[in-house]
Amino acid sequence: MKLTLIAGARPNFMKIAPIIRELEKRKEEGLDINYRLVHTGQHYDPALSASFFSDLGIPEPGINLEAGSGSHAEQTAQIMLGIEKDLLNHTPDILVVVGDVNSTLACSIVAKKLGILVAHVEGGIRSGDLGMPEEINRKVTDSISDFFFTTTTSAGENLVAEGVDPSKIFLVGNTMIDTLVFQQEHFNAPEFRNAKRDFLLLTLHRPTNVDDPMKLEKLLNEIVRGAGEVPLVFPVHPRTKKSLDRIKDLPDIEFLNPLGYNQFLYLVKNSLGVVTDSGGIQEETTYLGVPCLTLRSTTERPETVEIGTNVLVGQEWDRVQEYVRTMAKGNWKQGRIPKHWDGKTAERVIEKIVSILK
Ligand code: UD1
């Protein structure tokens, strides 16, 4: 049995790591299963890529396609050109893609056109907002995938509503939570000025929130006002840094360089709450029971709002301030953990893939 696994951007690495660990385990147990890890090179800065490989114990990829940055079309095209050659040279029985980044989309299209089976881990989640590039990536990938490994019941329901055969959908849970469970004992504190105080953690990288420096400045000011005396700690994504560099009077926030996985998760776990526009952080905070305020009007992860600790605040700035104030005071709803988010998702994924390929 031969699998090709795709990883390209930061959030992919947490999703692929437990799958690789499980494959290694099954190989050691004598199962005839081989895999080739392809890094598309969508993320290339050591802080966004190499540090995750070492933190998460991911082996060197078989190849790095070095696609790099660019417009969506350029980046997607570069990845497609690279993966086509690789799939022709090392044809697998199945291609496994995770998440919803441009690498996910590019590789699934190419594999499918070469007649290779495609499995999508984290299939079926939908924000309903086609203004998000990730939503386009999800819908296109799911429209051509053969098998779907879902994180929640609602993801499966979305797929069925779009005409997917229910026998191809497997509710397995969340591989990102597998990584969290596995790594938890390795979380460690980064150096930061406010380490001895209660703090709020901030992360922003969505184009709609960060690409316009004026809009970003206004948003940051609202958050700082809401936080009051409670310090804000903000590890900055390179995309966001480009806009921050154009703001003259930066608000009183402790800006950090992007962090590795174990240091970032230490901050999440030990914060009073997280203000974010990320997808995965909505899930990580729900698992850890940490308050989360999401600066978006839609989410593809509704369970984090319905049963978890997440609140969606959209883009109404006055409400942002009010919610951050509530979070800073330590008043927040309690949440629960969705079914199957138990650290054993990758086992279920590989079990199923083995039975499909047999
Ligand atoms: C991508 C994903 C997004 C994910 C995010 C996590 C898509 C469409 N978006 O967004 O879903 O949440 O990763 O980080 O796939 N850059 C660097 N160094 C790098 C990579 C990027 O400086 O290693 C800068 C470049 O200026 C680049 C910009 O960041 O133009 C954006 O990178 P890109 O990969 O296009 O998208 P992200 O915003 O990172």
Side-chain angles (χ1 to χ4, degrees), residues 51-69:
S51 84
F52 283 80
F53 273 64
S54 59
D55 270 13
L56 305 181
I58 305 174
E60 281 288 306
I63 189 172
N64 187 322
L65 304 177
E66 295 179 358
S69 300

Side-chain angles (χ1 to χ4, degrees), residues 11 42-45 69 75 101-102 134 205 237-239 242:
Q42 177 174 348
H43 281 176
Y44 43 85
D45 276 354
S69 300
Q75 188 176 62
V101 300
N102 286 345
E134 293 83 358
H205 75 284
H237 186 284
R239 170 172 216 123
K242 281 190 193 162

Side-chain angles (χ1 to χ4, degrees), residues 59-121:
E60 281 288 306
I63 189 172
N64 187 322
L65 304 177
E66 295 179 358
S69 300
S71 70
H72 281 269
E74 284 165 345
Q75 188 176 62
T76 308
Q78 282 305 325
I79 301 169
M80 289 176 82
L81 290 171
I83 192 65
E84 187 173 54
K85 276 205 192 96
D86 198 71
L87 290 174
L88 287 170
N89 289 335
H90 304 270
T91 308
D93 299 311
I94 193 164
L95 178 92
V96 178
V97 293
V98 298
D100 53 17
V101 300
N102 286 345
S103 303
T104 313
L105 168 85
C107 296
S108 51
I109 292 176
V110 172
K112 194 67 193 163
K113 288 202 170 176
L114 291 174
I116 297 166
L117 291 173
V118 175
H120 186 197
V121 173

